[in-house]
Amino acid sequence: MKLVVVTAGLTQPSSSRLLADRLAEAVRQRTQAEVRVVELRELAVDVANNFVTGFANARLSEVIEAVTEADGLIAVTPIFSGSYSGLFKSFFDVVDNTALTGKPVLIGATGGTARHSLALEHALRPLFTYLRAVVVPTAVYAASEDWGGGQDAFTDGLGDRIARAADELADLLLHRAPRQRPDEDAVVPFEDQLAALRPE
């Protein structure tokens, strides 16, 4: 089972990456999924060139393929001016708008104040709904006050939200039908198609 984490933090280290890592680890513990993290800031020039040329280079193509072929996705962005970052949106603009159909997605965001938390519902959730993904009910927002200075590095409230969202994504990953690669040469005999329609 493959889980891809897309994070759009611009600094290093970034709170968006920290939140993404916490979410990914919580889901990994529940599913034993293989986790891959994609830092979009490393692909900023590749994404911009895709818009100019109309083609993704080899590095961007490989990342897009990893995202579209994953069993599940965690997407985390910083909130700027009440919405997702331009880099975050630009990346998903270069992904085919049917490539995430039916894919379980957990959305998260970070910002300086809790006032921006609704951006998850008015910006991120509609974006992934448009892309026909299955977004888990709990979205996770982390404001500056959510991060503590202790070893655990976050307050009980944020930890609870992470656990709830991870449970929801893990449940979707563990109970959904496995992804099938289309086989153009596969032909199902007519009698088998009829048998599948008959009530047991």
Side-chain angles (χ1 to χ4, degrees):
M1 184 181 297
K2 295 181 185 298
L3 176 68
V4 173
V5 181
V6 175
T7 176
L10 299 180
T11 59
Q12 191 176 22
S14 76
S15 58
S16 294
R17 173 63 190 267
L18 183 57
L19 177 59
D21 287 345
R22 293 286 182 168
L23 291 167
E25 178 59 20
V27 175
R28 190 199 63 77
Q29 289 178 358
R30 290 159 171 78
T31 63
Q32 302 304 309
E34 177 184 322
V35 177
R36 174 177 176 179
V37 178
V38 174
E39 290 263 17
L40 291 184
R41 65 185 182 80
E42 297 173 358
L43 297 166
V45 173
D46 303 306
V47 171
N49 285 336
N50 189 110
F51 280 107
V52 174
T53 65
F55 298 98
N57 64 19
R59 183 167 72 157
L60 182 58
S61 293
E62 190 275 329
V63 169
I64 292 172
E65 182 178 359
V67 168
T68 58
E69 292 298 316
D71 296 291
L73 180 66
I74 295 174
V76 181
T77 179
I79 298 301
F80 297 131
S81 302
S83 189
Y84 37 63
S85 74
L87 178 58
F88 184 86
K89 178 62 162 58
S90 294
F91 174 75
F92 286 102
D93 280 345
V94 301
V95 175
D96 184 274
N97 64 6
T98 63
L100 301 184
T101 300
K103 188 181 303 298
V105 177
L106 192 167
I107 55 175
T110 58
T113 171
R115 290 179 300 166
H116 295 304
S117 61
L118 284 178
L120 284 162
E121 302 304 327
H122 74 69
L124 270 78
R125 193 176 297 276
L127 170 64
F128 286 100
T129 299
Y130 170 77
L131 295 173
R132 303 181 182 94
V134 178
V135 185
V136 301
T138 301
V140 181
Y141 181 84
S144 295
E145 59 264 29
D146 285 313
W147 303 105
Q151 185 176 3
D152 198 27
F154 57 84
T155 65
D156 289 341
L158 179 57
D160 290 343
R161 296 194 302 274
I162 289 171
R164 186 166 61 248
D167 284 340
E168 292 167 359
L169 182 59
D171 188 59
L172 282 175
L173 291 172
L174 294 171
H175 296 99
R176 70 192 293 255
R179 292 186 56 136
Q180 300 287 336
R181 287 187 175 270
D183 185 353
E184 296 178 357
D185 298 326
V187 176
V188 179
F190 183 66
E191 58 270 19
D192 291 346
Q193 294 179 37
L194 286 177
L197 296 174
R198 292 189 192 111
E200 294 182 0

